[in-house]
Amino acid sequence: MNFTLKILGTASALPTVNRYPSAQVLDVRGRLFLIDCGEGAQMQMRRMGISYLKIENICISHIHGDHLFGIFGLLSTMSMLGRTAHLNIFAPRAFGPVLKFYMSYFGEGTGFEIEHHVLSSKSPEVVWESRSTEMLAFPLNHRIEAFGFIIREKMPMFNVRKEAIQKYGLTLAEIAALKRGEDVVRPAGDDSGPSFENGFKRFSGGPEPLVISREEAAYIPYTPRSYAYCSDTAPFPELADWVKGTTLLYHEATFPECYADVAERTHHSTARQAAECALKAGAGRLLIGHYSTRVSDLGIFLKEASAVFPDTMLAREGDEIEVPLEKH
């Protein structure tokens, strides 16, 4: 079950010869989420072997060019390739006129529906879900309306232990209850001895009700994985709580500490501030990016962040980061 992040771009504002503007693709069990769409995103997707037609959802954090300028080219290419599948775009209200402009001038012959889901939440809110996965959006603290995203696996059903089935002679209804995470309670009865169901001995409650606890009889097969995307934003108190326990946290780190005043003025974060958020959130790993072109040595960002949160990684173009499945 894939949970793989592919980095298309890591630059802030200005592209460089080595860095493209912000764009990422997250593959969750074969479903592809494009997160921001900076200039050159489709060229990077082609280099990394990512199919344009398999993108189901596009998430636009805010309407600044370095997170958006690639969208026209990508939509046009999807159309020329004969896409017919519905496409969701999750973006602030200000994206509406942008999409309208595209459709007015370049949308003729588009053979698929583009649905703009307007983001407006004041705290984390589910904006999309499937049977096994859900996506939440939440507001960030930037110069204009901006949103972050959490994409996570839903809690799986419990697995029932075979030894518990044999020990208690569990019925199909009782197994279903345990799989839902419920305890099984058998009412008190005359303790005349075991009966048999499905070939197993089934004990009644005896003089007292018999409680078969979920903890004894069932277990979660794996820990659900999650990814949080926080760009662009200045620090704010609620963010660490909103992304608490995230398996992999991406947090913009536009500036090192020597430019802290610029970060504050432009509503961005430093590498140290990103790491402080990860520490407070109890994140599994921290991924930083959105580097300012003022700084050429990315080692500065890593040094400052890892001093606070050791499990920090630098995002680099072409990286593929697999979040492994932790089975129980």
Side-chain angles (χ1 to χ4, degrees), residues 69-305:
F69 282 162
I71 194 72
F72 280 18
L74 179 60
L75 293 178
S76 178
T77 298
M78 287 178 171
S79 182
M80 286 190 288
L81 290 175
R83 181 187 180 106
T84 58
H86 182 97
L87 178 67
N88 295 309
I89 301 181
F90 299 87
R93 187 172 302 279
F95 178 73
V98 176
L99 181 58
K100 183 178 180 180
F101 177 86
Y102 169 81
M103 294 303 294
S104 296
Y105 287 89
F106 310 108
E108 184 178 358
T110 298
F112 60 98
E113 182 183 359
I114 303 172
E115 183 176 0
H116 174 205
H117 300 263
V118 177
L119 302 177
S120 59
S121 60
K122 302 300 181 184
S123 60
E125 178 180 294
V126 175
V127 294
W128 176 91
E129 63 180 324
S130 68
R131 185 178 60 83
S132 61
T133 309
E134 63 183 4
M135 180 169 69
L136 296 82
F138 53 89
L140 296 172
N141 179 18
H142 197 40
R143 287 171 290 170
I144 64 172
E145 187 177 40
F147 291 87
F149 301 93
I150 299 171
I151 301 170
R152 65 191 184 193
E153 293 174 316
K154 292 181 178 179
M155 185 66 71
M157 295 188 74
F158 285 76
N159 281 356
V160 180
R161 302 183 189 278
K162 292 181 180 179
E163 56 269 28
I165 296 175
Q166 296 176 351
K167 177 180 178 181
Y168 294 108
L170 296 173
T171 67
L172 293 177
E174 289 171 337
I175 291 172
L178 287 166
K179 289 176 74 70
R180 294 192 299 268
E182 303 168 5
D183 293 339
V184 169
V185 180
R186 290 177 178 167
D190 63 4
D191 194 20
S192 60
S195 60
F196 288 81
E197 291 197 20
N198 300 324
F200 298 118
K201 290 189 292 186
R202 183 178 186 277
F203 291 91
S204 68
E208 299 293 335
L210 174 64
V211 178
I212 304 170
S213 69
R214 182 198 68 195
E215 288 74 15
E216 176 193 359
Y219 63 96
I220 287 290
Y222 60 87
T223 301
R225 295 164 291 185
S226 56
Y227 176 64
Y229 178 86
C230 305
S231 184
D232 298 5
T233 188
F236 62 99
E238 297 84 0
L239 183 56
D241 286 335
W242 290 351
V243 298
K244 195 172 188 65
T246 301
T247 312
L248 177 62
L249 168 64
Y250 173 82
H251 195 299
E252 68 121 295
T254 308
F255 298 101
E257 282 299 306
C258 61
Y259 291 110
D261 58 331
V262 182
E264 182 176 6
R265 187 169 67 250
T266 58
H267 284 75
H268 283 294
S269 295
T270 65
R272 180 179 181 85
Q273 289 169 334
E276 288 171 345
C277 179
L279 185 64
K280 292 175 183 175
R285 284 188 289 172
L286 171 65
L287 179 67
I288 56 175
H290 199 260
Y291 314 115
S292 170
T293 54
R294 297 169 186 242
V295 183
S296 57
D297 180 11
L298 299 185
I300 296 172
F301 295 97
L302 183 61
K303 181 179 179 180
E304 293 187 356

